[in-house]
Amino acid sequence: MPRAPRGTLSHKVILEHATRLMDAEGLEAVTVRRLAQDLGVRPMALYTYFKSKEEILAALYDGLLATIELPESPDAGLDGVRQIMREFFRLLTEHPALMKAGSGGQGDMRFGEVIYTLLLNSGIERRTAVGITASLVRFTIGSASVYQERAGWDAGYWSKLRASLRELPAERYPVMRSFGDDLPEFTQEEVFEFGMDRILRMGVD
């Protein structure tokens, strides 16, 4: 990975390198010592900008979360919530290790402020809004966490699965075997959209 040219170390340079390191080697690789080594500086140089590794990770998390484009109108409704969660899903699939770096800081507060505003302004009562938000976040994180290992879903996965289901013994797995003839196909994005819509229905059904 490229080193920072002499005299150019900054918050931005450190966080950009930390993000690349996280994506390439996982969150555990992001340490003050490793960042200093890769950037060609002494560890103490990083403490000029961040007090600790934890502060670097919190800033990394908040910075990436801030890239999510939020609806400008407080009346964007459930479509606005869908927009946010799609962006959150995209962010987590692009940076899988980010799921371990949640800070509960300003990024989360900004995120929550907009989602709760949209839900409450849609006429959803407060307890249901909390349940919807918690369910959406957990569902999105779960969907993103299996995204890479199921990357082959769109390349013949479903036809192979149907074939394997048809081989199941009918007396033991009658329902599963029946799906061998007409198992509906989903992309991972379609599964995500399906689940998100069902969760959001909690507030309107």
Side-chain angles (χ1 to χ4, degrees), residues 93-114:
T93 56
E94 291 178 357
H95 306 281
L98 191 64
M99 287 178 270
K100 299 180 181 179
S103 69
Q106 292 300 312
D108 284 337
M109 292 302 103
R110 169 179 173 266
F111 196 69
E113 178 70 19
V114 175

Side-chain angles (χ1 to χ4, degrees), residues 9-28:
L9 195 65
S10 65
H11 280 86
K12 180 180 179 181
V13 167
I14 294 169
L15 291 178
E16 286 178 347
H17 189 81
T19 300
R20 289 194 295 270
L21 184 58
M22 176 187 73
D23 290 343
E25 300 183 29
L27 199 64
E28 297 76 10

Side-chain angles (χ1 to χ4, degrees), residues 14-15 18-19 21-22 26-32 35 50-65 97-98 100-105:
I14 294 169
L15 291 178
T19 300
L21 184 58
M22 176 187 73
L27 199 64
E28 297 76 10
V30 184
T31 65
V32 172
L35 288 170
F50 297 98
K51 296 178 181 178
S52 64
K53 168 188 171 179
E54 289 70 29
E55 191 170 294
I56 293 173
L57 294 180
L60 184 157
Y61 177 84
D62 286 346
L64 287 176
L65 207 61
L98 191 64
K100 299 180 181 179
S103 69

Side-chain angles (χ1 to χ4, degrees), residues 73-199:
S73 171
D75 298 313
L78 298 187
D79 284 340
V81 177
R82 288 186 178 90
Q83 173 191 326
I84 294 171
M85 299 314 297
R86 288 183 188 119
E87 285 291 298
F88 187 43
F89 178 66
R90 174 198 57 77
L91 184 69
L92 294 180
T93 56
E94 291 178 357
H95 306 281
L98 191 64
M99 287 178 270
K100 299 180 181 179
S103 69
Q106 292 300 312
D108 284 337
M109 292 302 103
R110 169 179 173 266
F111 196 69
E113 178 70 19
V114 175
I115 290 179
Y116 282 121
T117 296
L118 295 174
L119 292 174
L120 295 176
N121 286 355
S122 297
I124 295 172
E125 60 94 18
R126 299 176 77 86
R127 179 175 175 80
T128 301
V130 172
I132 287 174
T133 303
S135 298
L136 279 175
V137 170
R138 286 161 175 75
F139 172 71
T140 303
I141 291 173
S143 297
S145 70
V146 300
Y147 189 84
Q148 297 300 327
E149 66 184 64
R150 298 184 181 179
W153 269 25
D154 301 330
Y157 169 83
W158 295 97
S159 60
K160 293 178 182 177
L161 179 57
R162 282 193 291 270
S164 67
L165 291 175
R166 287 195 294 270
E167 295 177 359
L168 292 173
E171 65 279 5
R172 187 171 183 181
Y173 304 105
V175 175
M176 292 298 292
R177 191 176 191 279
S178 72
F179 277 115
D181 297 321
D182 60 357
L183 181 67
E185 295 187 13
F186 283 87
T187 64
Q188 292 196 69
E189 287 75 14
E190 287 171 340
V191 168
F192 173 71
E193 291 285 338
F194 184 91
M196 179 170 59
D197 283 341
R198 293 309 182 274
I199 293 171

